[in-house]
Amino acid sequence: MTLASAPLTLRGIGKTYGGPAPGRVAALVGVDLDVRAGELLTILGPSGSGKTTLLKVIAGFEMPDAGIVTLAAADITAVPPAKRNIGMVFQNYALFPHMTVRGNVAFPLEMRGVSRTEIARRVDVAIALVGLGGFAERFPRQLSGGQQQRVAFARAVVFEPKLLLLDEPFGALDRKLREAMQLEMRHLQRRLGITTVFITHDQEEALVLSDRIAVMNHGHIVQIGRPAEIYERPADLFTADFIGESNLFAATVRDHADGFLRLALDNGQTMLAAGERPAGTRVGALIRPERLRVEVARNRLDAIVIEAVYVGNAHKLRLQMEGGSELLARLPAEGGALPEAGTTVTLHLAPEDIHLLALDT
């Protein structure tokens, strides 16, 4: 089973809710988005960022106040949801409890008037695709959460849609099963080659699954890029703070030294960072916890351990630096003892591992 992939394009999408100002809320503000044919693009953002409204606009459940939605170069902005040829998988799966697995998967084909013979063929292919060949006559209540999700996926692709929308599909699963299903869903999406938009607030999930990530905040897409780019080189302070764990320090570029920028942090410490900024520029310095090391590097940080937690393959340390600023570090466990609270540790940081951001003043 291989589906024809199709590009999705949004231009100038705007959507507001509520009555007259100041009661009106802008859920989407001039959103532009290009989803490439066959890719899995994740819309990532906190509650209230606009990601769910954007999904509803794509699906046709909400009509935008402004803008155009095109799928495979066809304008679908005003097309009813049932005629958009879009498959959807929801967090609660939305399976019909009175129907068997076969009945659930067959339903969208029956609604489209497909012949019985063709329905039987397509349903068998879709059920086999998700590894449920022996469960076709079972009811949803007889299936585990992961199996129900597979049924929902089979139902979403059985009619060969041009686009697949995944709306927080792993939220109801426990952590271990969720991680397993993430990889399985990604494998199926790649195998089918279907263009997919995935909605989530889970940063780790987005980093694992996505070809690209679009980060949303207050109705705007603030950055689009590959997972490594979003994590390592966030475009603004919101993205830096929202994606993963981070240490963010306000600083001023003092001068240049040995090809690096010398930063004067507001907490009184000095660090070297890679980049090009004029002296006197106010910046935000982003330091990821896992970039801190024990070996010698150009930046040395002495800090007191406030709290130490063992998290399996690493020690997660909450530290206090001179001047009172706190720092989060994640160091490989490597069989070493967990540092005790109150002890002083020395950490090192390469200048290349400090990412500079524009700082609002």
Side-chain angles (χ1 to χ4, degrees):
M1 186 177 187
T2 303
L3 306 185
S5 58
L8 172 72
T9 302
L10 285 72
R11 289 290 178 268
I13 300 297
K15 181 66 180 179
T16 57
Y17 294 104
R24 293 181 69 81
V25 176
L28 299 173
V29 184
V31 173
D32 292 332
L33 181 64
D34 292 285
V35 185
R36 300 162 185 162
E39 82 168 329
L40 192 156
L41 182 136
T42 294
I43 308 294
L44 175 66
S47 298
S49 62
K51 61 184 186 298
T52 299
T53 301
L54 187 61
L55 176 116
K56 290 179 179 178
V57 168
I58 295 171
F61 301 142
E62 291 280 3
M63 187 69 181
D65 300 326
I68 297 174
V69 180
T70 63
L71 180 61
D75 185 348
I76 62 169
T77 312
V79 175
K83 296 184 178 181
R84 292 196 177 198
N85 199 20
I86 294 175
M88 288 196 68
V89 178
F90 301 94
Q91 179 176 333
N92 62 0
Y93 317 132
L95 299 178
F96 297 113
H98 64 286
M99 291 184 180
T100 63
V101 168
R102 184 179 298 280
N104 269 280
V105 177
F107 182 77
L109 297 175
E110 293 170 349
M111 293 298 98
R112 287 165 172 79
V114 179
S115 69
R116 285 189 176 183
T117 302
E118 182 63 10
I119 287 176
R121 184 191 70 80
R122 289 200 200 181
V123 168
D124 285 343
V125 170
I127 291 176
L129 175 72
V130 298
L132 292 177
F135 297 80
E137 304 310 320
R138 294 193 185 185
F139 291 91
R141 66 178 179 275
Q142 298 173 308
L143 304 175
S144 67
Q147 289 169 337
Q148 290 182 43
Q149 187 183 67
R150 293 182 196 179
V151 176
F153 185 89
R155 186 180 62 182
V157 301
V158 71
F159 61 95
E160 300 179 356
K162 294 180 180 178
L163 175 69
L164 178 63
L165 301 180
L166 304 176
D167 185 13
E168 305 266 12
F170 309 112
L173 304 178
D174 63 71
R175 182 178 180 85
K176 187 174 182 179
L177 181 56
R178 183 168 69 245
E179 291 175 349
M181 290 304 300
Q182 287 169 1
L183 296 177
E184 183 171 329
M185 191 74 75
R186 182 62 170 129
H187 170 74
L188 290 171
Q189 187 270 335
R190 283 179 171 166
R191 180 177 171 183
L192 294 173
I194 185 172
T195 308
T196 302
V197 176
F198 179 74
I199 304 294
T200 186
H201 65 276
D202 188 317
Q203 303 96 320
E204 183 176 333
E205 191 168 77
L207 293 171
V208 168
L209 285 173
S210 313
D211 290 313
R212 291 188 301 150
I213 298 171
V215 181
M216 289 199 72
N217 188 31
H218 296 308
H220 299 267
I221 292 179
V222 295
Q223 185 174 0
I224 302 176
R226 293 189 174 278
E229 177 187 349
I230 296 290
Y231 184 81
E232 299 288 351
R233 294 290 180 264
D236 60 7
L237 291 172
F238 168 79
T239 305
D241 186 52
F242 182 67
I243 304 294
E245 296 176 314
S246 59
N247 300 292
L248 281 167
F249 300 100
T252 302
V253 177
R254 179 182 292 177
D255 53 30
H256 295 71
D258 300 328
F260 296 107
L261 301 178
R262 193 192 312 273
L263 304 179
L265 274 60
D266 287 3
N267 64 14
Q269 297 209 359
T270 301
M271 289 185 183
L272 295 178
E276 292 293 333
R277 303 290 174 99
T281 302
R282 293 283 291 165
V283 295
L286 168 65
I287 302 170
R288 294 295 186 187
E290 67 275 9
R291 293 298 185 180
L292 293 161
R293 304 179 179 92
V294 177
E295 68 267 19
V296 176
R298 297 293 294 271
N299 293 311
R300 170 175 168 161
L301 301 171
D302 293 322
I304 298 173
V305 177
I306 301 174
E307 183 180 21
V309 180
Y310 176 71
V311 290
N313 63 348
H315 293 158
K316 186 174 178 180
L317 307 181
R318 189 161 64 92
L319 309 158
Q320 187 175 66
M321 299 188 297
E322 184 180 350
S325 295
E326 290 195 3
L327 182 71
L328 189 66
R330 185 183 290 268
L331 307 176
E334 296 178 345
L338 192 67
E340 294 184 5
T343 59
T344 298
V345 296
T346 299
L347 301 172
H348 300 272
L349 179 69
E352 295 84 358
D353 289 332
I354 299 178
H355 178 58
L356 301 184
L357 298 154
L359 188 66
D360 296 331
T361 56

